[in-house]
PDB file of all heavy atoms in Angstrom:
ATOM      1  N   LEU A  16     -14.977  24.412  21.232  1.00 98.00           N
ATOM      2  CA  LEU A  16     -14.799  23.187  20.454  1.00 98.00           C
ATOM      3  C   LEU A  16     -13.640  23.350  19.492  1.00 98.00           C
ATOM      4  O   LEU A  16     -13.476  24.405  18.869  1.00 98.00           O
ATOM      5  CB  LEU A  16     -16.095  22.873  19.689  1.00 98.00           C
ATOM      6  CG  LEU A  16     -16.302  21.451  19.181  1.00 98.00           C
ATOM      7  CD1 LEU A  16     -16.398  20.460  20.338  1.00 98.00           C
ATOM      8  CD2 LEU A  16     -17.577  21.382  18.334  1.00 98.00           C
ATOM      9  N   ARG A  17     -12.842  22.283  19.373  1.00 98.00           N
ATOM     10  CA  ARG A  17     -11.716  22.286  18.445  1.00 98.00           C
ATOM     11  C   ARG A  17     -11.722  20.968  17.667  1.00 98.00           C
ATOM     12  O   ARG A  17     -11.795  19.895  18.268  1.00 98.00           O
ATOM     13  CB  ARG A  17     -10.391  22.453  19.187  1.00 98.00           C
ATOM     14  CG  ARG A  17      -9.165  22.501  18.289  1.00 98.00           C
ATOM     15  CD  ARG A  17      -7.905  22.759  19.101  1.00 98.00           C
ATOM     16  NE  ARG A  17      -7.929  24.095  19.682  1.00 98.00           N
ATOM     17  CZ  ARG A  17      -7.414  25.178  19.102  1.00 98.00           C
ATOM     18  NH1 ARG A  17      -6.831  25.075  17.911  1.00 98.00           N
ATOM     19  NH2 ARG A  17      -7.461  26.347  19.699  1.00 98.00           N
ATOM     20  N   ALA A  18     -11.648  21.061  16.344  1.00 98.00           N
ATOM     21  CA  ALA A  18     -11.685  19.877  15.488  1.00 98.00           C
ATOM     22  C   ALA A  18     -10.490  19.883  14.549  1.00 98.00           C
ATOM     23  O   ALA A  18     -10.038  20.939  14.097  1.00 98.00           O
ATOM     24  CB  ALA A  18     -12.981  19.847  14.675  1.00 98.00           C
ATOM     25  N   LYS A  19      -9.993  18.678  14.262  1.00 98.00           N
ATOM     26  CA  LYS A  19      -8.927  18.521  13.278  1.00 98.00           C
ATOM     27  C   LYS A  19      -9.477  17.659  12.149  1.00 98.00           C
ATOM     28  O   LYS A  19      -9.982  16.554  12.372  1.00 98.00           O
ATOM     29  CB  LYS A  19      -7.685  17.883  13.895  1.00 98.00           C
ATOM     30  CG  LYS A  19      -6.502  17.776  12.931  1.00 98.00           C
ATOM     31  CD  LYS A  19      -5.295  17.140  13.597  1.00 98.00           C
ATOM     32  CE  LYS A  19      -4.685  18.058  14.634  1.00 98.00           C
ATOM     33  NZ  LYS A  19      -3.406  17.478  15.177  1.00 98.00           N
ATOM     34  N   ILE A  20      -9.353  18.176  10.923  1.00 98.00           N
ATOM     35  CA  ILE A  20      -9.904  17.516   9.738  1.00 98.00           C
ATOM     36  C   ILE A  20      -8.770  17.108   8.815  1.00 98.00           C
ATOM     37  O   ILE A  20      -7.897  17.927   8.490  1.00 98.00           O
ATOM     38  CB  ILE A  20     -10.860  18.453   8.964  1.00 98.00           C
ATOM     39  CG1 ILE A  20     -11.825  19.183   9.899  1.00 98.00           C
ATOM     40  CG2 ILE A  20     -11.590  17.677   7.870  1.00 98.00           C
ATOM     41  CD1 ILE A  20     -12.730  18.298  10.691  1.00 98.00           C
ATOM     42  N   LEU A  21      -8.766  15.852   8.375  1.00 98.00           N
ATOM     43  CA  LEU A  21      -7.808  15.360   7.383  1.00 98.00           C
ATOM     44  C   LEU A  21      -8.446  15.366   6.007  1.00 98.00           C
ATOM     45  O   LEU A  21      -9.624  15.010   5.860  1.00 98.00           O
ATOM     46  CB  LEU A  21      -7.386  13.930   7.704  1.00 98.00           C
ATOM     47  CG  LEU A  21      -6.383  13.676   8.821  1.00 98.00           C
ATOM     48  CD1 LEU A  21      -6.189  12.176   8.970  1.00 98.00           C
ATOM     49  CD2 LEU A  21      -5.058  14.368   8.539  1.00 98.00           C
ATOM     50  N   ASN A  22      -7.637  15.699   4.988  1.00 97.00           N
ATOM     51  CA  ASN A  22      -8.187  15.583   3.642  1.00 97.00           C
ATOM     52  C   ASN A  22      -8.220  14.134   3.160  1.00 97.00           C
ATOM     53  O   ASN A  22      -8.935  13.818   2.198  1.00 97.00           O
ATOM     54  CB  ASN A  22      -7.426  16.475   2.658  1.00 97.00           C
ATOM     55  CG  ASN A  22      -6.002  16.011   2.384  1.00 97.00           C
ATOM     56  OD1 ASN A  22      -5.334  15.437   3.261  1.00 97.00           O
ATOM     57  ND2 ASN A  22      -5.519  16.270   1.174  1.00 97.00           N
ATOM     58  N   TYR A  23      -7.496  13.238   3.830  1.00 97.00           N
ATOM     59  CA  TYR A  23      -7.619  11.807   3.499  1.00 97.00           C
ATOM     60  C   TYR A  23      -8.963  11.307   4.029  1.00 97.00           C
ATOM     61  O   TYR A  23      -9.215  11.295   5.235  1.00 97.00           O
ATOM     62  CB  TYR A  23      -6.486  11.004   4.114  1.00 97.00           C
ATOM     63  CG  TYR A  23      -6.548   9.519   3.783  1.00 97.00           C
ATOM     64  CD1 TYR A  23      -6.209   9.066   2.510  1.00 97.00           C
ATOM     65  CD2 TYR A  23      -6.964   8.601   4.722  1.00 97.00           C
ATOM     66  CE1 TYR A  23      -6.272   7.724   2.191  1.00 97.00           C
ATOM     67  CE2 TYR A  23      -7.023   7.250   4.413  1.00 97.00           C
ATOM     68  CZ  TYR A  23      -6.678   6.820   3.144  1.00 97.00           C
ATOM     69  OH  TYR A  23      -6.759   5.479   2.824  1.00 97.00           O
ATOM     70  N   GLY A  24      -9.838  10.934   3.113  1.00 97.00           N
ATOM     71  CA  GLY A  24     -11.159  10.465   3.494  1.00 97.00           C
ATOM     72  C   GLY A  24     -12.077  11.553   4.009  1.00 97.00           C
ATOM     73  O   GLY A  24     -13.149  11.245   4.538  1.00 97.00           O
ATOM     74  N   ALA A  25     -11.667  12.841   3.868  1.00 98.00           N
ATOM     75  CA  ALA A  25     -12.436  13.947   4.451  1.00 98.00           C
ATOM     76  C   ALA A  25     -12.826  13.576   5.874  1.00 98.00           C
ATOM     77  O   ALA A  25     -13.991  13.570   6.261  1.00 98.00           O
ATOM     78  CB  ALA A  25     -13.660  14.270   3.605  1.00 98.00           C
ATOM     79  N   THR A  26     -11.817  13.251   6.667  1.00 98.00           N
ATOM     80  CA  THR A  26     -11.952  12.583   7.961  1.00 98.00           C
ATOM     81  C   THR A  26     -11.890  13.559   9.132  1.00 98.00           C
ATOM     82  O   THR A  26     -11.019  14.434   9.166  1.00 98.00           O
ATOM     83  CB  THR A  26     -10.830  11.537   8.107  1.00 98.00           C
ATOM     84  OG1 THR A  26     -11.005  10.514   7.122  1.00 98.00           O
ATOM     85  CG2 THR A  26     -10.814  10.905   9.488  1.00 98.00           C
ATOM     86  N   LEU A  27     -12.785  13.371  10.092  1.00 98.00           N
ATOM     87  CA  LEU A  27     -12.691  14.064  11.378  1.00 98.00           C
ATOM     88  C   LEU A  27     -11.682  13.295  12.218  1.00 98.00           C
ATOM     89  O   LEU A  27     -11.981  12.228  12.747  1.00 98.00           O
ATOM     90  CB  LEU A  27     -14.055  14.128  12.056  1.00 98.00           C
ATOM     91  CG  LEU A  27     -14.079  14.757  13.457  1.00 98.00           C
ATOM     92  CD1 LEU A  27     -13.593  16.195  13.435  1.00 98.00           C
ATOM     93  CD2 LEU A  27     -15.485  14.666  14.052  1.00 98.00           C
ATOM     94  N   GLN A  28     -10.481  13.842  12.350  1.00 98.00           N
ATOM     95  CA  GLN A  28      -9.390  13.140  13.017  1.00 98.00           C
ATOM     96  C   GLN A  28      -9.475  13.277  14.535  1.00 98.00           C
ATOM     97  O   GLN A  28      -9.185  12.321  15.273  1.00 98.00           O
ATOM     98  CB  GLN A  28      -8.047  13.683  12.521  1.00 98.00           C
ATOM     99  CG  GLN A  28      -6.835  12.973  13.101  1.00 98.00           C
ATOM    100  CD  GLN A  28      -5.531  13.568  12.614  1.00 98.00           C
ATOM    101  OE1 GLN A  28      -5.490  14.729  12.182  1.00 98.00           O
ATOM    102  NE2 GLN A  28      -4.453  12.793  12.669  1.00 98.00           N
ATOM    103  N   ASP A  29      -9.877  14.445  15.018  1.00 98.00           N
ATOM    104  CA  ASP A  29      -9.856  14.718  16.457  1.00 98.00           C
ATOM    105  C   ASP A  29     -10.921  15.764  16.764  1.00 98.00           C
ATOM    106  O   ASP A  29     -11.202  16.642  15.928  1.00 98.00           O
ATOM    107  CB  ASP A  29      -8.473  15.237  16.864  1.00 98.00           C
ATOM    108  CG  ASP A  29      -8.186  15.096  18.353  1.00 98.00           C
ATOM    109  OD1 ASP A  29      -9.107  14.723  19.102  1.00 98.00           O
ATOM    110  OD2 ASP A  29      -7.044  15.372  18.760  1.00 98.00           O
ATOM    111  N   LEU A  30     -11.508  15.685  17.973  1.00 98.00           N
ATOM    112  CA  LEU A  30     -12.552  16.628  18.378  1.00 98.00           C
ATOM    113  C   LEU A  30     -12.487  16.793  19.887  1.00 98.00           C
ATOM    114  O   LEU A  30     -12.650  15.814  20.630  1.00 98.00           O
ATOM    115  CB  LEU A  30     -13.930  16.105  17.953  1.00 98.00           C
ATOM    116  CG  LEU A  30     -15.121  17.043  18.188  1.00 98.00           C
ATOM    117  CD1 LEU A  30     -14.999  18.290  17.293  1.00 98.00           C
ATOM    118  CD2 LEU A  30     -16.442  16.320  17.882  1.00 98.00           C
ATOM    119  N   ARG A  31     -12.242  18.008  20.346  1.00 98.00           N
ATOM    120  CA  ARG A  31     -12.055  18.268  21.770  1.00 98.00           C
ATOM    121  C   ARG A  31     -13.010  19.365  22.233  1.00 98.00           C
ATOM    122  O   ARG A  31     -13.170  20.396  21.568  1.00 98.00           O
ATOM    123  CB  ARG A  31     -10.623  18.700  22.057  1.00 98.00           C
ATOM    124  CG  ARG A  31      -9.538  17.776  21.477  1.00 98.00           C
ATOM    125  CD  ARG A  31      -9.135  16.670  22.415  1.00 98.00           C
ATOM    126  NE  ARG A  31      -8.233  15.728  21.741  1.00 98.00           N
ATOM    127  CZ  ARG A  31      -7.417  14.890  22.368  1.00 98.00           C
ATOM    128  NH1 ARG A  31      -7.384  14.852  23.689  1.00 98.00           N
ATOM    129  NH2 ARG A  31      -6.643  14.057  21.683  1.00 98.00           N
ATOM    130  N   LEU A  32     -13.600  19.132  23.401  1.00 98.00           N
ATOM    131  CA  LEU A  32     -14.516  20.074  24.030  1.00 98.00           C
ATOM    132  C   LEU A  32     -13.835  20.694  25.241  1.00 98.00           C
ATOM    133  O   LEU A  32     -13.245  19.982  26.068  1.00 98.00           O
ATOM    134  CB  LEU A  32     -15.798  19.350  24.452  1.00 98.00           C
ATOM    135  CG  LEU A  32     -16.901  20.180  25.106  1.00 98.00           C
ATOM    136  CD1 LEU A  32     -17.482  21.178  24.104  1.00 98.00           C
ATOM    137  CD2 LEU A  32     -18.005  19.275  25.651  1.00 98.00           C
ATOM    138  N   ALA A  33     -13.920  22.014  25.381  1.00 97.00           N
ATOM    139  CA  ALA A  33     -13.313  22.699  26.514  1.00 97.00           C
ATOM    140  C   ALA A  33     -13.855  22.142  27.822  1.00 97.00           C
ATOM    141  O   ALA A  33     -15.059  21.940  27.973  1.00 97.00           O
ATOM    142  CB  ALA A  33     -13.595  24.197  26.422  1.00 97.00           C
ATOM    143  N   GLY A  34     -12.943  21.860  28.755  1.00 96.00           N
ATOM    144  CA  GLY A  34     -13.338  21.311  30.034  1.00 96.00           C
ATOM    145  C   GLY A  34     -13.367  19.804  30.082  1.00 96.00           C
ATOM    146  O   GLY A  34     -13.671  19.212  31.126  1.00 96.00           O
ATOM    147  N   HIS A  35     -13.035  19.159  28.951  1.00 97.00           N
ATOM    148  CA  HIS A  35     -13.017  17.688  28.881  1.00 97.00           C
ATOM    149  C   HIS A  35     -11.774  17.295  28.091  1.00 97.00           C
ATOM    150  O   HIS A  35     -11.705  17.530  26.878  1.00 97.00           O
ATOM    151  CB  HIS A  35     -14.291  17.182  28.200  1.00 97.00           C
ATOM    152  CG  HIS A  35     -14.369  15.694  28.068  1.00 97.00           C
ATOM    153  ND1 HIS A  35     -14.623  14.863  29.137  1.00 97.00           N
ATOM    154  CD2 HIS A  35     -14.228  14.882  26.983  1.00 97.00           C
ATOM    155  CE1 HIS A  35     -14.654  13.612  28.732  1.00 97.00           C
ATOM    156  NE2 HIS A  35     -14.414  13.587  27.420  1.00 97.00           N
TER     157      HIS A  35
END
Side-chain angles (χ1 to χ4, degrees):
L16 199 64
R17 181 176 293 268
K19 184 180 290 186
I20 315 299
L21 283 177
N22 69 328
Y23 181 74
T26 295
L27 176 60
Q28 183 182 22
D29 200 353
L30 186 66
R31 309 270 173 160
L32 181 66
H35 180 74

